[in-house]
Amino acid sequence: MFEPVIAPSGTLLGLLQRGRGDGTLHALTAPRDEALAALNHCVLSDPRHDWQVENRSLYYARLYLDLHGELGEIERHLFDPEDLIDTDESRTGLALSVLGHLASYGRRDALDLLRRYAACGGSWAWALDELALRDDDAGLRSLAEPVLARFPADAEADLAAAVRDAYEPRPWRLWAEDPRPHVGARVRAAQEAGSFDRWQRQMRPAGPRPEWSVQAVFAWAQEGFERGAVLYVPAARCLSAVAGPEDRPEIVRAAQDGTDGARCTALRYLADTHDPDALDLVEAAVESPSRAVVDAALDAFERMRTVAAVERARRWAHRPDALGAAAGRMLACRGAASDGELVLHALREALRGDGPDAPTLWPLVDGAGRLGIACAAPVLRHIYRETASSHLRGHAARALAATDPSFAAGFAVECLWDCEESTREIAARHAETGDARVVDQLRRLAADPAEEDEVQTAVRSRIGPDAPAL
């Protein structure tokens, strides 16, 4: 999948791509054709940087409902000939999830479209999972034959894998009860084969054993490194089982000048066990020419919980390199209020150097909120507006709630329409109710069966019988 192209944050398309609440509010006041064009663009060209964790489907489905949007563009996208060539779920997953939500809201056209796609589409398994949550038994039973027809008689292993790996097992359980031999008996055989295969894999575990030596663990980690597999984290855990006090000199030597796999493993192990030399070894490792060793050293350092690690972070925070940046993140997570200036400096430097979507911003944004750094509010507002990550925007909203007195009357209002449920929850707890839109949206969220329990709990704390009058 190509990296999505995100429009500027001040445009309707840019707002909708980011999943911001202002995107919905602007779309509802824009010309309907323009709003639907931007909405279809988002659904058909998934704008998420990480489509597996960021939410957009409920957000877009609600906007389709509000705009009374037709599904013709989604239909053309799903049944385009490219669907037979590009089997990546990221091409159709968002559209199918939107259809699933629309079906749960009673849109019959969305349900029929999901059924058709499950019968003949490329990402049929995703569509079937959506139907498993929304369709009735009769609708699911009607799909048994077209789905099983995807697996010829000589592909029983593929059928067993599909049954075993199904995210929602309900359709397969229904089909297993079918009295027809070519349906019920075949699905039951696939279920048994999948269970047997799972049992066989459990009986043949791979990897290190407690009886291994320290050198064997290092060799295993290096073998993984050479074939492109990152094994130093499980290897470090294995060292905890096989290493004794007498092995410490060997592990320290590996952390100083071992192979990349061994050095990463040793650094992780020594940091996790709070070895007195771990911090010095981390400082030496960040000078390594190997990017893997540098990253492992930084990761090991940021996992440390000791007072000594925090003290060292205060010394390193002024460094203009990766270790200085890691020290800033350490202080954001575990520093005291007196470290606010260092955390704010790290936040500004990360935003200036890496932009509003940098992964390094996450702990720094959280740290600004945790430490209550009031003068960080302008930076946090910029990140909130510009980041394409809806998760990072949610973290910025949480930090603004703790640092910005204007949050309740400002960003908290639009957050009630945000794509992330955690952000809507923050808004439900903080948004000022002087704005009539806030009261109406709180009531809508309270009555929406698709809304998350945490959001509805927060809403009820504002509009329930024991809540202050709105």
Side-chain angles (χ1 to χ4, degrees):
M1 179 180 178
F2 294 107
E3 190 74 10
V5 177
I6 305 299
S9 61
T11 64
L12 174 59
L13 178 59
L15 290 170
L16 291 178
Q17 286 178 315
R18 288 167 172 82
R20 279 182 55 182
D22 255 5
T24 294
L25 297 175
H26 279 65
L28 295 177
T29 59
R32 182 172 177 273
D33 289 346
E34 178 186 339
L36 283 174
L39 176 58
N40 284 324
H41 183 281
C42 293
V43 174
L44 307 186
S45 302
D46 195 335
R48 295 170 292 181
H49 284 279
D50 190 343
W51 62 274
Q52 293 179 309
V53 298
E54 290 189 55
N55 295 316
R56 293 290 189 281
S57 55
L58 180 59
Y59 171 84
Y60 292 142
R62 284 171 168 168
L63 190 50
Y64 270 112
L65 291 177
D66 291 339
L67 294 172
H68 305 287
E70 302 84 3
L71 304 181
E73 291 296 322
I74 293 181
E75 181 178 8
R76 281 187 284 275
H77 177 72
L78 292 179
F79 294 99
D80 190 278
E82 186 182 359
D83 188 62
L84 302 176
I85 303 170
D86 185 356
T87 59
D88 193 327
E89 289 182 330
S90 63
R91 194 188 82 84
T92 54
L94 180 56
L96 294 171
S97 296
V98 168
L99 291 177
H101 284 298
L102 288 174
S104 70
Y105 281 120
R107 288 280 297 259
R108 180 72 190 197
D109 53 347
L111 183 65
D112 291 342
L113 195 49
L114 277 174
R115 287 175 177 172
R116 284 176 51 206
Y117 188 81
C120 59
S123 296
W124 62 272
W126 191 311
L128 188 61
D129 285 338
E130 296 291 340
L131 289 167
L133 298 173
R134 280 103 180 178
D135 208 352
D136 56 27
D137 287 356
L140 291 175
R141 288 193 176 103
S142 69
L143 293 170
E145 290 188 301
V147 169
L148 291 176
R150 295 174 176 276
F151 301 93
D154 59 351
E156 295 304 305
D158 294 336
L159 175 59
V163 175
R164 182 192 67 218
D165 299 335
Y167 190 74
E168 294 291 343
R170 179 178 162 228
W172 300 101
R173 290 172 180 168
L174 284 174
W175 300 342
E177 299 168 357
D178 194 300
R180 294 172 293 180
H182 68 285
V183 176
R186 194 177 181 203
V187 171
R188 289 193 298 273
Q191 289 173 328
E192 293 173 2
S195 298
F196 181 70
D197 179 62
R198 186 179 295 111
W199 174 79
Q200 283 188 312
R201 285 188 292 173
Q202 292 171 345
M203 295 297 292
R204 297 194 301 266
R209 303 285 195 279
E211 66 270 16
W212 278 25
S213 66
V214 169
Q215 271 303 324
V217 174
F218 286 154
W220 180 66
Q222 180 61 22
E223 177 189 339
F225 182 86
E226 291 171 356
R227 67 171 189 267
V230 180
L231 298 179
Y232 74 85
V233 174
R237 289 197 296 267
C238 187
L239 272 188
S240 300
V242 305
E246 69 280 2
D247 297 306
R248 181 181 177 276
E250 181 180 2
I251 297 173
V252 170
R253 284 195 299 273
Q256 291 171 331
D257 55 15
T259 62
D260 283 357
R263 195 172 186 185
C264 293
T265 301
L267 287 167
R268 179 64 167 249
Y269 169 80
L270 293 170
D272 285 353
T273 56
H274 309 304
D275 188 276
D277 290 335
L279 291 167
D280 291 333
L281 291 168
V282 164
E283 188 171 16
V286 297
E287 304 298 332
S288 169
S290 169
R291 186 71 242 180
V293 171
V294 173
D295 289 344
L298 297 175
D299 186 52
F301 166 63
E302 291 185 61
R303 287 172 50 84
M304 297 181 75
R305 303 290 191 273
T306 62
V307 174
V310 176
E311 289 295 335
R312 192 69 68 94
R314 292 184 177 118
R315 287 168 44 191
W316 289 343
H318 300 285
R319 293 176 56 136
D321 60 3
L323 187 55
R329 295 191 293 270
M330 165 76 78
L331 295 176
C333 295
R334 298 178 189 92
S338 58
D339 298 312
E341 283 296 326
L342 293 174
V343 173
L344 178 58
H345 173 74
L347 178 62
R348 287 170 172 161
E349 287 299 309
L351 180 61
R352 185 181 299 116
D354 301 319
D357 297 317
T360 189
L361 288 173
W362 291 57
L364 296 171
V365 166
D366 289 342
R370 182 181 73 85
L371 299 175
I373 307 173
C375 52
V379 182
L380 295 172
R381 286 195 291 266
H382 178 78
I383 294 170
Y384 177 96
R385 292 188 189 97
E386 298 300 326
T387 183
S389 167
S390 54
H391 275 187
L392 179 56
R393 182 176 64 252
H395 285 249
R398 187 176 295 108
L400 283 167
T403 61
D404 186 1
S406 69
F407 176 72
F411 285 140
V413 174
E414 74 154 280
C415 285
L416 286 170
W417 285 266
D418 197 87
C419 66
E420 296 290 344
E421 64 268 14
S422 59
T423 307
R424 296 195 296 276
E425 180 185 355
I426 296 167
R429 297 190 185 281
H430 292 91
E432 285 188 0
T433 55
D435 188 330
R437 297 175 303 171
V438 171
V439 178
D440 291 342
Q441 182 66 357
L442 287 173
R443 289 173 176 155
R444 178 182 180 180
L445 295 177
D448 192 336
E451 190 50 81
E452 297 291 333
D453 291 342
E454 293 81 359
V455 178
Q456 293 192 327
T457 298
V459 170
R460 293 187 187 106
S461 71
R462 302 291 300 279
I463 66 174
D466 300 324
L470 294 179

